[in-house]
Amino acid sequence: MVLIGGTIGSIYSGLVTPTEAAAVGCVLAIVIAVFWGEFSVAILWRALQTTVRVCGNILFIVYAAFLFSYAISYAGVGEQITQFLVNLKLSKLEFFIALFVLYTVLGCLVESLGMIVVTVPLLYPVLVRYGIDPIWFGVILVLFIEMGQISPPIGINLFVIQSIWTGKLSDVVAGTIPFHLIMFVLLGLLVIFPEIAMWLPSQVTAVP
């Protein structure tokens, strides 16, 4: 509770950035180990070695995904898929479902920033035509992307988790089911009650 409260609490209180919160978490972990657990130079050294191994695995996966994403973008796959979707001239509900399929597929092939850069400029005029609020769509887009990143067979986050765990990839995939269900419920709520995403922005007053 101390570790979670210190890291997450420091972010939401505005005291630190997420990157700085990582350092806060490291310091708190050492303090907790000293007072409530076991701590020694040997334990710290083993923890540092494990950290280097885990981070190395994750960075290698992210770098490989970046190269693959660059190749996909260079080949124009994202633009072609998006343009095909635009040319279908779907209803608003059909367009929403098609977007879900699009980002689920792209999430298995392209990292999140690449998806945003490739698709949003092409989709924005269509959003305006359908009368979709850009802020609401931004929230939906984040959910779409995160669902794509944990969707089998090659969602990048599946392999990141697999790299720091000793279990099978099938177990990792099975473990994503509750998160998919929660995100589906949240998507449904955001579609039925868009005020959930729009309430906070509506409270911000324009600065003269």
Side-chain angles (χ1 to χ4, degrees):
M1 291 178 65
V2 171
L3 184 59
I4 295 174
T7 52
I8 304 299
S10 61
I11 295 175
Y12 282 100
S13 64
L15 296 176
V16 299
T17 65
T19 303
E20 294 167 343
V24 173
C26 290
V27 173
L28 285 176
I30 294 175
V31 172
I32 291 170
V34 170
F35 287 97
W36 291 293
E38 298 179 1
F39 182 80
S40 66
V41 175
I43 292 175
L44 179 61
W45 178 247
R46 287 199 301 271
L48 292 174
Q49 289 178 317
T50 302
T51 301
V52 170
R53 277 199 307 272
V54 171
C55 290
N57 288 336
I58 294 175
L59 289 175
F60 180 79
I61 293 172
V62 171
Y63 180 67
F66 175 79
L67 291 178
F68 185 68
S69 173
Y70 177 79
I72 293 293
S73 299
Y74 185 78
V77 174
E79 289 90 339
Q80 293 176 14
I81 295 176
T82 305
Q83 193 61 49
F84 171 76
L85 176 62
V86 170
N87 292 336
L88 291 178
K89 299 180 179 179
L90 305 171
S91 67
K92 191 171 182 178
L93 178 60
E94 293 171 338
F95 178 69
F96 182 82
I97 296 174
L99 283 181
F100 172 74
V101 176
L102 169 67
Y103 282 107
T104 299
V105 173
L106 288 179
C108 296
L109 303 174
V110 185
E111 49 86 29
S112 56
L113 183 59
M115 278 191 281
I116 295 173
V117 172
V118 169
T119 61
V120 171
L122 295 172
L123 289 174
Y124 182 75
V126 186
L127 298 177
V128 174
R129 191 175 66 193
Y130 279 106
I132 297 175
D133 189 281
I135 297 178
W136 178 85
F137 177 73
V139 177
I140 296 293
L141 177 61
V142 171
L143 283 173
F144 279 160
I145 289 175
E146 291 306 316
M147 292 181 73
Q149 302 267 286
I150 61 173
S151 295
I154 52 175
I156 181 176
N157 285 349
L158 300 177
F159 294 97
V160 170
I161 297 300
Q162 172 64 24
S163 70
I164 60 175
W165 189 46
T166 57
K168 299 178 181 179
L169 181 61
S170 58
D171 296 330
V172 177
V173 174
T176 65
I177 294 176
F179 295 95
H180 274 104
L181 294 177
I182 293 172
M183 288 184 178
F184 274 123
V185 172
L186 180 55
L187 277 174
L189 290 174
L190 287 172
V191 172
I192 299 172
F193 307 105
E195 300 82 14
I196 297 175
M198 300 304 299
W199 178 82
L200 185 59
S202 69
Q203 305 304 305
V204 180
T205 57
V207 178

